[in-house]
């Protein structure tokens, strides 16, 4: 049971480790993106310097082949130069990409968001006057634009992988639980069957011996109860049959049985509608679920206190609440108490609420949950079923 107790801690540990790994991957991607962007900025500054040197050269002067190579080889970043006299020089863009003032303004706005424009200016060595050649506007390269979406693609892959792993794990877990429940149910039904047949025979003998009929009547009630329990276990291994039943009457019958066989220190109370409320129900499995909730409530109160069962009929649903004034539950336990193997008792397999959840949610398509709980003040468990 050690794994069950620390399951939540292990899960959060795995989630935290996954978060750290994903964060490191995304951080490294971001740093690589920034380095690549800085390299592009340096390259564009080199191109701007070469452009300035080219503009400074006289018309009859031979152009430095290095400058010519830098200017003509740059073909990855879309860019344009707006000269000081308003002339436009476009590079790595379609010829008709900028055909109006609006197009120019849009490109300037877009490129300024991506990169800081570079001023093309130099100081005349003779006059010491600054010569303004214009401004260079440039955008990110196609590779850099694709790299922007890499973290999103990575996250999508991680989410899809996590979903597949979760579904695979849930499927295997569900299959293992079903196999365990089915095997236990069949074995329990088989084990109860033999002594039950013997008890029925002994009851008939007691009638012949003319034993007090009241004693025999009580014995027959318990025999009937054992038969019900046997049928419950036999139906867990297969899909049970549902039929229209009065949930008020079924709750009343289970309530009466448990009340007569519980300690006088438990103050039982039942609040239910005075008219029938019909739902699609397997009466024996519902009785088993209600019995589990009531017994858990009694255990939580350590065999002493007020226990209330409430049946509330809504327009399309009916809610059955079991309220105790026991030790209560912490919020982190609201879901874990329904997991197989989870138990706060020194003895027990921790299958009662797990089976209750299976009966209500898988077989009856309803809901079962901890409606409210507070440490030291008690717990309210709630079953919700669709009414007819």
């Amino acid at each position: 049971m050690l794994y069950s107790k620390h399951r939540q801690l292990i899960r959060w540990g795995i989630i935290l480790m996954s978060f750290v790994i994903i964060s490191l991957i995304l951080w490294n991607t971001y740093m690589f993106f920034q380095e690549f962007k800085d390299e592009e900025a340096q390259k564009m500054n080199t191109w701007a310097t070469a452009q300035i040197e080219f503009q400074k050269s006289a018309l009859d002067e031979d152009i430095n082949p290095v400058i010519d190579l830098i200017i003509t080889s740059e073909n990855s970043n879309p860019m344009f130069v707006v000269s000081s006299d308003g002339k436009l020089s476009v590079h790595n863009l379609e010829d008709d990409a900028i055909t109006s003032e609006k197009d120019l303004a849009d490109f300037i706005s877009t490129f300024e968001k991506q990169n800081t424009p570079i001023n093309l200016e130099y100081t005349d060595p003779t006059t010491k006057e600054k010569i303004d050649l214009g401004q260079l506007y440039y955008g990110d390269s196609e590779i850099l634009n694709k790299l922007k979406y890499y973290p999103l693609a990575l996250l999508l892959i991680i989410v899809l992988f996590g979903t597949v792993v979760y579904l695979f794990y849930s499927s295997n877990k569900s299959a293992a639980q079903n196999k365990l429940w089915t095997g236990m149910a069949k074995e329990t039904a088989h084990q109860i069957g033999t002594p039950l047949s013997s008890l029925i025979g002994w009851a008939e003998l007691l009638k012949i011996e003319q034993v007090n009929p009241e004693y025999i009547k009580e014995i027959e009630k318990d025999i009937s109860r054992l038969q019900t329990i046997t049928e419950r276990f036999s139906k867990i291994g297969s899909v049970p049959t549902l039929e229209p039943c009065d949930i008020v009457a079924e709750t009343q019958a289970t309530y009466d049985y448990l009340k007569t066989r519980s300690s006088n220190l438990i103050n039982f109370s039942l609040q239910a509608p005075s008219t029938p409320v019909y739902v699609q129900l397997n009466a024996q499995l519902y009785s088993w679920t209600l019995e589990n909730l009531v017994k858990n409530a009694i255990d939580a109160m350590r065999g002493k206190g007020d226990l209330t069962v409430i049946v509330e009929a809504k327009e399309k649903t009916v809610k059955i609440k079991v309220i105790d004034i026991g030790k209560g539950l912490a919020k982190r336990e609201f879901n874990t108490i329904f997991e197989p193997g989870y138990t706060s008792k020194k003895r027990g397999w921790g299958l009662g609420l797990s089976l209750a959840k299976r009966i209500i949610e898988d077989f009856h398509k309803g809901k079962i949950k901890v409606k409210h709980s507070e440490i030291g003040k008690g717990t309210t468990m709630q079953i919700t079923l669709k009414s007819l």
Side-chain angles (χ1 to χ4, degrees), residues 52-53 56 120-133:
I52 292 172
E53 293 299 321
K56 288 166 59 178
L120 302 178
E121 60 183 19
Y122 68 96
T123 302
D124 191 309
T126 305
T127 63
K128 305 300 181 180
E129 180 184 354
K130 280 192 176 182
I131 308 299
D132 183 14
L133 300 176

Side-chain angles (χ1 to χ4, degrees), residues 177 181 289 292-293 334-340 351-370 381 383:
Q177 289 177 1
W181 287 331
T289 300
N292 269 322
L293 296 184
F334 281 18
N335 292 321
T336 54
I337 61 171
F338 294 103
E339 294 179 2
L351 292 177
L353 287 178
S354 175
L355 288 171
K357 185 178 180 69
R358 178 174 169 83
I359 290 168
I360 296 300
E361 298 191 357
D362 293 352
F363 295 158
H364 291 84
K365 307 305 177 186
K367 291 289 182 183
I368 182 171
K369 65 178 182 179
V370 180
M381 302 293 295
I383 299 171

Side-chain angles (χ1 to χ4, degrees), residues 50 53-54 57-58 61-72:
E53 293 299 321
F54 175 78
S57 303
E61 184 180 341
D62 291 335
I63 300 174
N64 187 322
V66 175
I67 293 175
D68 184 55
L69 180 64
I70 293 173
I71 292 175
T72 57

Side-chain angles (χ1 to χ4, degrees), residues 155-174:
L155 283 175
L156 180 61
I157 292 171
I158 292 171
V159 169
L160 290 176
F161 179 76
T163 302
V164 170
V165 171
Y166 172 77
L167 292 176
F168 177 77
Y169 170 76
S170 298
S171 177
N172 282 351
K173 182 180 178 182
S174 178

Side-chain angles (χ1 to χ4, degrees), residues 112-165:
E112 281 183 335
K113 290 178 181 177
Q114 295 177 359
N115 301 286
T116 304
I118 300 174
N119 292 322
L120 302 178
E121 60 183 19
Y122 68 96
T123 302
D124 191 309
T126 305
T127 63
K128 305 300 181 180
E129 180 184 354
K130 280 192 176 182
I131 308 299
D132 183 14
L133 300 176
Q135 279 191 311
L136 168 64
Y137 298 89
Y138 69 97
D140 293 333
S141 65
E142 185 177 352
I143 295 176
L144 197 61
N145 283 326
K146 290 180 179 178
L147 194 61
K148 290 178 183 178
Y149 300 103
Y150 176 74
L152 294 177
L154 181 64
L155 283 175
L156 180 61
I157 292 171
I158 292 171
V159 169
L160 290 176
F161 179 76
T163 302
V164 170
V165 171

